[in-house]
Amino acid sequence: MVTCTGPVNIAVIKYWGKRDEDLILPINSSLSVTLHQDQLKTTTTIACSRNFQQDRIWLNGKEEDISNPRLQSCLQEIRRFARKRRNTGGSTSDVSSVSHKVHICSVNNFPTAAGLASSASGYACLVYTLSQLFGVESEQLSAVARQGSGSACRSLYGGFVQWKLGERSDGKDSLAEQVGSESHWPELRVLVLVVSAEQKSVGSTSGMHTSVGTSQLLKYRADVVVPSRMEEMIRVIRQRDFPAFGELTMKDSNQFHAICLDTYPPIFYLNNISHRIISLVHRYNQYYGETRVAYTFDAGPNAVIYTLEDHLPEFVQVVRHFFPPEVNGAEFVKGLPVCSTELSEDLKRNINMEPTPKGIHYIISTKAGPGPCVVKDPNHHLLGADGLPKKSAISD
């Protein structure tokens, strides 16, 4: 039995569209920041035993269908690599266990389908835990995780991670690699503004499929825009140039949502609150005459804000002022503590927006963090000695 945790990643250059649906090969490269697992993570326990009758999986307390094709492809690939290692004598794990059935139990400490990249952390954690169980080399994991969920390959690394487009039709060169560690830019901070924890109306997989088939902007983005943006993004991250990083992040988010509108029929992931957050960020930056704060939105209405530590307390206060919360203090800002501060009347007057009470449910305050980790303490296993979920891993 092995337990691991895996992180969420938030793309600053977006992945949207596949050139191969089976292998999950993207039509463009992408780049993301891995968020710290102290605030957002998936925890997965996998056990294998000769006594198990079949492979089984429990997600957030509910047993799910193990025959899901993406899940199956991850299980088959890891078992194939494990057999290959066993046959070449390279494996240190119990060789007979590869043929045993597995029980998988996985929980997220955040809303699963709320546009918070739960499939990325989920599949990265699944594949990493399987690799620990069966003694599979880590350099093979990127391609396996990608077949579960494209962006999952980026969650296998900490810090700043690119997923390379690749050129081969078999996808062997469409892999993730780290471009900066989690300690590379210590002043960078991240806020997740949770606007809605509802499941999105159009899932990413079907949304991408429709965009590829109908959006002419998408092709232009993939062929013309992203290649130079990737180079520039890697350069500004290495130089820790926040204004350039922030501007590029916002432009790329806006272009992704423009492609959703260019899709036919159009897809709307942002809602009225999302638009107000965008407006607030631009007004705040305009007041200071520089990019101090940047937003990005994935396939959902929740905003992810990047800023530097020095500007964090004031911007959180700005959010609190223009989106007055129902709850106070720690209930509104979860995660890493944020100092409180007063806002100048001049700043409030210049932003000049009507407050929207209860528009934001809560904020998760976090930063860049490491890739998947093994949990050493056996008390933290989600499965009991009988191979079934412990009470704490089952929802009512």
Side-chain angles (χ1 to χ4, degrees):
M1 193 183 291
V2 178
T3 298
C4 300
T5 60
V8 167
N9 74 73
I10 300 290
V12 289
I13 302 289
K14 304 295 188 191
Y15 148 57
W16 194 252
K18 303 178 186 73
R19 67 179 193 271
D20 185 312
E21 299 255 355
D22 296 326
L23 292 174
I24 309 197
L25 300 178
I27 62 164
N28 62 271
S29 297
S30 55
L31 197 147
S32 59
V33 182
T34 298
L35 304 187
H36 205 286
Q37 294 174 56
D38 284 354
Q39 285 75 48
L40 295 162
K41 69 176 178 217
T42 296
T43 304
T44 302
T45 298
I46 306 182
C48 67
S49 166
R50 62 168 62 83
N51 300 325
F52 295 163
Q53 303 299 303
Q54 63 196 67
D55 291 335
R56 294 175 75 183
I57 186 166
W58 292 264
L59 297 181
N60 295 311
K62 271 182 47 217
E63 184 157 15
E64 301 283 347
D65 184 3
I66 194 87
S67 67
N68 171 321
R70 292 188 176 192
L71 200 53
Q72 282 301 318
S73 102
C74 291
L75 281 166
Q76 285 160 12
E77 280 292 277
I78 288 284
R79 282 171 165 150
R80 187 172 68 79
F81 281 129
R83 285 195 188 95
K84 206 162 147 187
R85 281 205 80 195
R86 181 183 66 185
N87 295 340
T88 56
S91 180
T92 52
S93 71
D94 175 9
V95 290
S96 62
S97 63
V98 181
S99 54
H100 294 160
K101 300 296 182 193
V102 294
H103 283 189
I104 302 162
C105 188
S106 191
V107 294
N108 296 331
N109 69 347
F110 57 91
T112 301
L116 275 179
S118 60
S119 65
S121 61
Y123 275 106
C125 196
L126 171 82
V127 167
Y128 186 79
T129 311
L130 282 168
S131 76
Q132 293 293 318
L133 190 68
F134 292 137
V136 172
E137 295 282 310
S138 58
E139 56 268 18
Q140 294 162 327
L141 301 186
S142 185
V144 182
R146 190 197 71 221
Q147 290 175 54
S149 169
S151 51
C153 67
R154 297 191 310 246
S155 274
L156 287 169
Y157 299 92
F160 303 84
V161 186
Q162 68 167 324
W163 172 16
K164 291 174 151 179
L165 167 66
E167 292 171 358
R168 293 171 53 145
S169 58
D170 63 5
K172 288 212 164 95
D173 58 352
S174 183
L175 304 169
E177 67 175 35
Q178 193 181 60
V179 298
S181 77
E182 58 269 28
S183 58
H184 165 69
W185 198 346
E187 303 82 11
L188 189 71
R189 293 290 297 271
V190 183
L191 298 169
V192 182
L193 309 189
V194 180
V195 171
S196 162
E198 309 287 293
Q199 193 139 2
K200 48 203 180 211
S201 54
V202 179
S204 306
T205 304
S206 65
M208 277 185 209
H209 183 78
T210 313
S211 293
V212 169
T214 62
S215 171
Q216 290 182 318
L217 274 185
L218 183 66
K219 186 166 169 34
Y220 178 77
R221 167 177 167 75
D223 295 348
V224 180
V225 181
V226 173
S228 59
R229 260 189 197 171
M230 283 293 291
E231 283 178 25
E232 192 186 346
M233 186 59 91
I234 291 168
R235 183 174 57 75
V236 301
I237 286 168
R238 290 193 170 142
Q239 293 170 349
R240 295 187 279 270
D241 177 347
F242 187 83
F245 169 82
E247 189 174 316
L248 201 52
T249 295
M250 291 188 280
K251 284 180 172 175
D252 204 72
S253 175
N254 295 340
Q255 187 173 82
F256 158 51
H257 290 282
I259 280 161
C260 292
L261 285 181
D262 188 49
T263 300
Y264 193 81
I267 305 167
F268 307 99
Y269 285 123
L270 306 182
N271 64 19
N272 186 36
I273 304 295
S274 315
H275 293 140
R276 292 183 76 80
I277 293 166
I278 289 171
S279 182
L280 178 66
V281 168
H282 285 294
R283 289 174 191 212
Y284 180 79
N285 288 336
Q286 209 167 355
Y287 176 79
Y288 284 107
E290 64 176 2
T291 301
R292 291 191 169 191
V293 173
Y295 55 77
T296 187
F297 293 81
D298 282 334
N302 297 332
V304 176
I305 301 289
Y306 290 100
T307 189
L308 297 176
E309 214 161 18
D310 289 353
H311 308 315
L312 186 73
E314 185 178 72
F315 188 72
V316 168
Q317 205 53 45
V318 165
V319 171
R320 204 186 267 282
H321 179 80
F322 289 100
F323 296 94
E326 263 186 300
V327 291
N328 286 325
E331 285 186 49
F332 186 59
V333 182
K334 303 169 190 285
L336 295 175
V338 179
C339 308
S340 63
T341 183
E342 291 296 308
L343 297 183
S344 75
E345 290 305 315
D346 190 49
L347 174 60
K348 290 184 212 170
R349 202 169 39 250
N350 268 277
I351 288 177
N352 188 26
M353 273 173 68
E354 276 297 309
T356 310
K358 301 187 286 201
I360 292 170
H361 296 319
Y362 59 92
I363 297 173
I364 301 166
S365 163
T366 184
K367 61 182 182 180
C373 312
V374 177
V375 178
K376 296 278 194 278
D377 185 348
N379 294 323
H380 289 124
H381 289 324
L382 302 175
L383 294 168
D386 58 358
L388 296 174
K390 290 179 182 173
K391 290 278 184 287
S392 56
I394 298 241
S395 58
D396 297 331

